[in-house]
Every structure is written in C-alpha cells, then in structure tokens.
Amino acid sequence: MKKITLLATSILGIVTLGSTIAQAADVNVDTEGVVNFSNVTEAKPVKPDDDSGTVIEPGDKPGGGSDTSDMNLKLLYVPNFVFADNGNTSIKYDFMKGNKLEAIVQTTKEAGEFPNFAQVYHSKEVANWLLAAKASDFKLVGGTKILDGAKIVLDDADAVKNVGSSTVATATIENSLITLESNEKVNIGKYVGTTNESAINSFNFNKVKLDITSGLAIGENETYKSNITWTLSGDATAVVTDTEEE
C-alpha cells in the first residue's frame, strides 16, 4: 500500500527587495458528502456573476460553504456533495450489486446547471497557496455504522481562472482524478504566482462519484454523511513520499 505524506514549507514570509509578502493564516472550511437512502434532498443554488460560474456569494450555504474572513486569502466556495442514483437522491440500495452514485450538479435559474467547484481568491500580497481536502468515513446519522469502502472520487477535474489579468498565472489541479481516501488529507490544487496581482481561481469537479459496495447492512430510511474538511493555506510547496507497507 502506498502511503502519502505531505510536508509543507511556508514561503509567504519571504522579504524581497522593495516589497514584503504577507503571511496568510490557514483557512479551513467543513462541508459534507451525503448519501440519503430515504428521500430526496435538493441542491440549493449558488449565485454566479458570469458564465464561468464565479461566485458572488454562496447564498444561505446548503449548497456549500465559504470562509472570507482573511483579507488576502479567501475560500469563496466549496461544495457539498449530494449523491444520487440516475438523478434520484432517494436511493434504493442494491444488496447484491451495490450502487454506483454520482453527485448532483449545482443549479440556478440564472445560469442553469454547472459542475460542483471550489473557488479561491488571493490578493496581490499572497504569492502562493495550496488547497487540500480530507473526508471522513460515511457514518450513519444518529448511529455508529459506516459505509465500508465508500470513497469520494473527483473525476474529470480541471482548473480555470475566473478573474485576473493575462499576466496572472492560473492555478493548477493536482490531478484530473482525485480520490478522497478516508481520513487522508489530499492535495486538490495550487497556485504559484508569477506577478504580484490578485486573482480568483476555480477548480471544477465535472464528475463526482461514490461507489457503494454490495453486501452492506443498510436499512431503510438511513442517511450516511461524510465530513469534508477543505484547507486553504498560503503555501504551494508539498513533498510526496511513497512508502511501501507489508
């Protein structure tokens, strides 16, 4: 088994000739993955300001979360994932075959449907940042049972710059396929600046999948939730070390 260890080195406190790069504090936002085996849970809309899906405000946040308390580094939006079976969020569990689920997309009257996404703003005082996420086990609400083996997969992921001049770099996605292993912090994407200018960058998760294995003791009217912690830090340096376990 490969074990991934992330080592972060802060590079925001560097003093350069004629300027000082601000040291931004880590930003943490919790969202959740939801699998509802009883009834339909509707996704709440977010408010885009253009066709690319830039967020003005996350609304009342049933669709996601945000933290804009830091003046220099803001997590404008991160999504909840509400999983469905062929578009139906009231899921009938298949004991013999299991279920292959996909998260419903964000939907607004103004912009229609668009992918789930995470969005980051940085000021010109921040040269680099890193977005990571960690998901817990899917646990029965009000109980102790878990969905053994269930992992959230961010498939067909990409990065897009929503706001920023042509001289500002675009953030980079860690991988087009990202698996949120249970209780393991994984990198989503990063920004390494080339100029001291502000920008808004987004990571689109065009498909978000969840496979439920067969043979689980799932009862009727049971809802399972995974807590997803999104961490935005003013640091885009990470070292990945592979170790083999017997």
Side-chain angles (χ1 to χ4, degrees):
M1 179 184 296
K2 288 188 175 182
K3 184 177 180 182
I4 297 177
T5 303
L6 301 177
L7 304 176
T9 305
S10 176
I11 56 177
L12 293 183
I14 300 174
V15 179
T16 58
L17 184 62
S19 65
T20 300
I21 302 300
Q23 176 73 47
D26 287 1
V27 179
N28 294 284
V29 174
D30 288 345
T31 60
E32 61 186 24
V34 180
V35 182
N36 190 337
F37 292 97
S38 56
N39 52 36
V40 176
T41 301
E42 298 292 341
K44 301 296 182 179
V46 295
K47 187 178 180 182
D49 65 0
D50 57 29
D51 291 339
S52 66
T54 303
V55 170
I56 295 177
E57 53 182 297
D60 56 2
K61 300 184 182 66
S66 68
D67 189 323
T68 60
S69 59
D70 191 294
M71 294 296 293
N72 293 312
L73 192 61
K74 301 178 185 291
L75 197 45
L76 294 180
Y77 191 78
V78 284
N80 291 324
F81 298 131
V82 178
F83 291 95
D85 191 350
N86 292 319
N88 186 2
T89 55
S90 184
I91 299 164
K92 182 178 180 180
Y93 176 61
D94 190 328
F95 181 84
M96 298 300 294
K97 298 180 180 179
N99 298 79
K100 294 185 179 297
L101 310 178
E102 190 166 325
I104 58 178
V105 298
Q106 301 287 328
T107 305
T108 67
K109 291 181 179 179
E110 296 82 2
E113 295 183 348
F114 51 93
N116 289 291
F117 65 98
Q119 191 170 87
V120 176
Y121 162 83
H122 71 268
S123 77
K124 64 181 181 179
E125 302 298 328
V126 176
N128 308 276
W129 51 257
L130 173 70
L131 179 64
K134 181 172 71 172
S136 68
D137 290 326
F138 279 84
K139 185 178 179 181
L140 175 65
V141 175
T144 59
K145 290 194 302 181
I146 64 171
L147 294 181
D148 191 30
K151 298 176 183 178
I152 299 173
V153 177
L154 310 178
D155 196 2
D156 192 19
D158 59 20
V160 59
K161 182 171 64 179
N162 293 88
V163 177
S165 73
S166 59
T167 61
V168 178
T170 299
T172 56
I173 195 79
E174 181 72 13
N175 200 304
S176 61
L177 182 68
I178 302 171
T179 300
L180 300 185
E181 301 282 353
S182 177
N183 297 307
E184 292 286 340
K185 190 175 181 180
V186 297
N187 289 354
I188 302 298
K190 64 184 179 181
Y191 175 86
V192 179
T194 56
T195 59
N196 289 341
E197 295 188 50
S198 62
I200 293 175
N201 282 270
S202 295
F203 300 110
N204 290 330
F205 311 125
N206 294 297
K207 294 180 180 179
V208 182
K209 301 176 180 180
L210 182 71
D211 285 354
I212 307 297
T213 60
S214 61
L216 297 178
I218 296 175
E220 294 183 358
N221 300 316
E222 290 186 348
T223 298
Y224 293 77
K225 291 186 177 182
S226 167
N227 186 76
I228 306 167
T229 298
W230 304 80
T231 300
L232 175 63
S233 58
D235 180 7
T237 301
V239 177
V240 178
T241 302
D242 290 345
T243 57
E244 297 291 338
E245 293 183 358
E246 297 295 337

